[in-house]
Amino acid sequence: MTRSHLARTAVAALLAGALTTLPACGIGGPEEVGEARRTGRVAGAITFRTLQLKPVFTGYVEDVIEAFERRYPEVDVTWEDVPGDGYNEKLVADARAGTLPDVVNLSTDSFQLLADRGMLADVAALDPQLAAQYVPGAWEQFKLPGRGDAVYAYPWYVTPEILTYNRELFERAGLDPDRPPVTVEQFFDYAEQIATRSGGRFSAFMADPRGRLPGDWQKMGIPLLNERRDAFTFDTDRAVAWVERMKELYDMGAMPKESLLKADDVNQLYGAGRIAFGPGSPGFVKDVKRNSPQVYARTQVAGAVTGTLGHIGVYAQSLGVRKDTRHPDAAAEFAAWVTNGPNQVAFSRRATIYPSHARGLDDPYFSDRGDGRDAETLARAIGAEQLRTAALDANTPVEWTSQVGDAVVREVQKAIGGEQDARTAVRKAQQEANRILAHTAGR
């Protein structure tokens, strides 16, 4: 499962359009907002906004705030927690009103859109020595193309991609569960054998390409953009071959037929033993353990399919600092405090997440494999190992917006379903993606 599948939502397109209509005052653009600069005094009242952490994590967040205020008695932190529904729309309203919080919890989409429009402070300038404390790939997540070494958010918690599969279904298909696929091409070969040997009793994975793009193409080394990043370039023989292979597998029964266009519950299908590969999330493994203990007993985990480039998908949350905050020292110190190693480990022990802080990943909690048989324990250790060493799929480009992703998926779905050939699908997908890109750039 790629980062784009985990993080991108349809409301991102709404947010992108709404932000372009901001008035030419307040926080309408990078040239109109003064950059936050350190004053040397950590003091002032700041607002901290999180996304849907209450009530489960209320005690944890309050403890973090209280400890910070004890350390910096001249700072007063007001915490507000916002429900997930309508979160990006609320950011739009606050951007229009000039009332963004001093420190704000951002998803991948909201980070990109706010940073690209000059609403977030360069935290690399606020904390120039901080980069070395985070996992390199996580720190790189929050740069923007063409902005040099500027970083627009503190990495917070992350969830890496892993590979989850049903060991028994592997064996029934004649596959060795101790030798999982490691490339996209090999993953498809395994899916073909599952389709051939299952007799229609189970499938390999879900058909909807939304969960695989652009991650698969990146792992295969397919160039998404030209060097100037002003045009998509994925219309290649390799992309066409990928679509052809998806159609071939779909026709063979490697994917549930209804999963091409309909949002089937993959958790339910995997929990019922009807698909061999589950979503690549450590949190999914925990859900299977709770909801389908019999299938959990047959669940095995491994490192993510990475391809020759060593990329993995990663879902990341971050803390942005409002660019024109009145208290930059307090806001920067607080964001760094929340995302430090001990606080991230404490959070990770309460949720199925991982620290983006290097010291946090060194905690034994993330290296213990137990007896090597419990899938949840192994998933935690494998995810941590990948975060330390893999080249994170950190550069799914800003230009690949939800609108672009939807346009590409629509054409690919038509090809998988037999409505058009693969080369036409890729060509039309690139044309539409470039039309959207040009329209966005010209606004």
Side-chain angles (χ1 to χ4, degrees):
M1 184 181 299
T2 65
R3 186 193 74 177
S4 55
H5 176 61
L6 290 164
R8 294 186 182 280
T9 60
V11 295
L14 171 63
L15 178 58
L19 285 173
T20 60
T21 66
L22 291 174
C25 60
I27 53 174
E31 72 283 357
E32 297 156 0
V33 181
E35 181 72 54
R37 292 286 184 267
R38 290 273 196 169
T39 67
R41 183 186 176 200
V42 182
I46 60 173
T47 301
F48 172 45
R49 177 183 296 167
T50 57
L51 172 60
Q52 206 165 322
L53 295 185
K54 291 183 178 181
V56 177
F57 303 106
T58 297
Y60 165 76
V61 175
E62 289 178 344
D63 287 347
V64 169
I65 292 172
E66 289 173 8
F68 180 80
E69 290 177 338
R70 284 196 300 271
R71 182 166 183 168
Y72 297 103
E74 293 186 76
V75 178
D76 180 30
V77 180
T78 298
W79 175 34
E80 60 179 48
D81 189 68
V82 179
D85 291 342
Y87 186 69
N88 281 352
E89 291 90 331
K90 181 168 178 56
L91 286 176
V92 170
D94 290 339
R96 285 174 170 159
T99 57
L100 281 175
D102 299 278
V103 179
V104 59
N105 182 181
L106 299 170
S107 67
T108 304
D109 276 327
S110 51
F111 148 73
Q112 290 172 335
L113 292 161
L114 293 180
D116 196 44
R117 286 157 178 80
M119 300 176 188
L120 300 176
D122 176 6
V123 302
L126 288 174
D127 276 316
Q129 307 303 318
L130 207 60
Q133 297 186 28
Y134 295 94
V135 176
W139 185 255
E140 296 293 320
Q141 284 266 348
F142 303 107
K143 292 183 175 181
L144 288 178
R147 303 288 182 88
D149 292 328
V151 177
Y152 294 100
Y154 292 83
W156 197 8
Y157 57 92
V158 296
T159 305
E161 177 186 11
I162 62 170
L163 187 68
T164 304
Y165 55 99
N166 185 313
R167 183 173 61 250
E168 181 182 287
L169 297 187
F170 258 50
E171 292 171 343
R172 287 168 59 184
L175 297 169
D176 183 350
D178 294 323
R179 299 181 62 186
V182 296
T183 67
V184 175
E185 294 83 358
Q186 190 177 32
F187 179 86
F188 285 163
D189 289 343
Y190 277 44
E192 178 177 347
Q193 185 160 330
I194 289 169
T196 301
R197 300 283 189 90
S198 72
R201 293 183 297 276
F202 55 93
S203 302
F205 64 100
M206 306 297 277
D208 187 355
R210 195 178 314 275
R212 311 204 64 83
L213 295 177
D216 275 10
W217 288 353
Q218 288 178 290
K219 292 174 182 179
M220 295 168 66
I222 296 171
L224 298 184
L225 289 158
N226 63 12
E227 290 186 3
R228 296 186 304 276
R229 307 183 72 89
D230 60 3
F232 285 102
T233 58
F234 55 76
D235 185 0
T236 63
D237 289 344
R238 277 180 292 171
V240 171
W242 183 90
V243 177
E244 289 174 340
R245 188 70 165 135
M246 285 283 286
K247 172 174 171 45
E248 177 183 328
L249 291 170
Y250 182 72
D251 290 344
M252 293 178 64
M255 318 164 200
K257 293 296 183 185
E258 63 276 10
S259 69
L260 179 60
L261 300 174
K262 188 166 71 74
D264 283 325
D265 187 347
V266 64
N267 293 37
Q268 185 176 14
L269 289 175
Y270 183 87
R274 292 180 53 195
I275 57 172
F277 291 102
S281 163
F284 169 74
V285 177
K286 186 174 183 178
D287 290 340
V288 173
K289 185 177 185 177
R290 181 174 58 247
N291 299 322
S292 305
Q294 290 184 330
V295 172
Y296 177 78
R298 301 191 291 270
T299 292
Q300 194 154 325
V301 296
V305 170
T306 62
T308 57
L309 301 182
H311 285 183
I312 66 168
V314 61
Y315 169 67
Q317 289 280 327
S318 64
L319 294 183
V321 172
R322 176 174 168 161
K323 187 175 182 180
D324 60 347
T325 176
R326 294 175 59 192
H327 305 291
D329 298 78
E333 289 294 338
F334 180 70
W337 175 265
V338 174
T339 62
N340 70 23
N343 282 328
Q344 288 211 36
V345 170
F347 196 8
S348 300
R349 286 177 178 273
R350 292 167 169 81
T352 311
I353 55 176
Y354 292 75
S356 62
H357 199 283
R359 280 183 55 201
L361 279 179
D362 288 338
D363 190 281
Y365 178 71
F366 296 101
S367 59
D368 180 17
R369 287 175 167 256
D371 61 6
R373 291 180 291 183
D374 181 66
E376 183 183 6
T377 303
L378 279 174
R380 182 167 58 244
I382 289 170
E385 288 169 5
Q386 293 191 143
L387 284 171
R388 290 189 193 95
T389 61
L392 303 186
D393 183 12
N395 295 314
T396 297
V398 177
E399 293 83 359
W400 188 284
T401 63
S402 295
Q403 288 176 298
V404 168
D406 288 345
V408 173
V409 164
R410 278 195 299 271
E411 299 303 330
V412 171
Q413 284 174 331
K414 292 176 185 176
I416 295 172
E419 298 178 41
Q420 63 185 355
D421 64 87
R423 189 163 297 278
T424 299
V426 174
R427 173 177 52 81
K428 290 171 66 176
Q430 180 171 293
Q431 288 174 346
E432 182 61 14
N434 280 327
R435 185 194 67 77
I436 295 169
L437 182 61
H439 176 69
T440 302
R443 278 198 292 225

